[in-house]
Amino acid sequence: MRCIIARFPFDLTKSGVLASMKDVKPEPITGESVLIGRRYYPVKQLGEVITRQDRRDFTGGEVTRAMTRLGFTCRSAHEAVPDPHASQAPTPLETASELLGSPRSLDL
């Protein structure tokens, strides 16, 4: 499939993208991401690998549109991907509730 990323034409195929990303370790995801194989990659990292251009030269939207057209699953920044390595630290509200204890019933 022919697509334009950063004003340059690229002929991309699904198998070509899979091969390009085969030995690439995903960076932490902070925004949009694409599912390649069984891993989620940030769109900027993916775009940098497949176009060999600097990340500042293209937008995440350009890469996301191209990957969607190729049939890859893309996620927006709002659809957070859970980090399997992140610890489940309690939220400030949970910490405060734990410190204060449970409310006692008032008998009036």
Side-chain angles (χ1 to χ4, degrees):
M1 175 199 75
R2 190 167 186 85
C3 64
I4 305 294
I5 300 175
R7 300 180 312 273
F8 292 99
F10 292 93
D11 289 317
L12 300 175
T13 62
K14 190 168 187 171
S15 60
V17 172
L18 289 168
S20 296
M21 300 304 290
K22 182 178 180 184
D23 296 323
V24 178
K25 182 180 176 187
E27 296 173 357
I29 297 170
T30 57
E32 298 175 320
S33 61
V34 180
L35 179 64
I36 306 289
R38 294 182 297 185
R39 298 178 176 175
Y40 279 95
Y41 291 88
V43 292
K44 288 289 202 164
Q45 179 187 14
L46 175 65
E48 185 176 49
V49 171
I50 63 173
T51 66
R52 296 188 182 115
Q53 294 182 340
D54 190 279
R55 296 173 189 210
R56 296 172 289 184
D57 293 341
F58 55 86
T59 66
E62 292 174 304
V63 177
T64 301
R65 280 190 297 278
M67 295 302 107
T68 301
R69 288 178 56 198
L70 284 174
F72 289 104
T73 302
C74 301
R75 290 191 174 192
S76 67
H78 303 293
E79 300 175 81
V81 178
D83 184 4
H85 304 293
S87 64
Q88 296 295 331
T91 65
L93 178 62
E94 292 170 337
T95 303
S97 294
E98 191 175 307
L99 290 172
L100 294 172
S102 61
R104 290 183 261 170
S105 63
L106 298 174
D107 294 325
L108 297 175

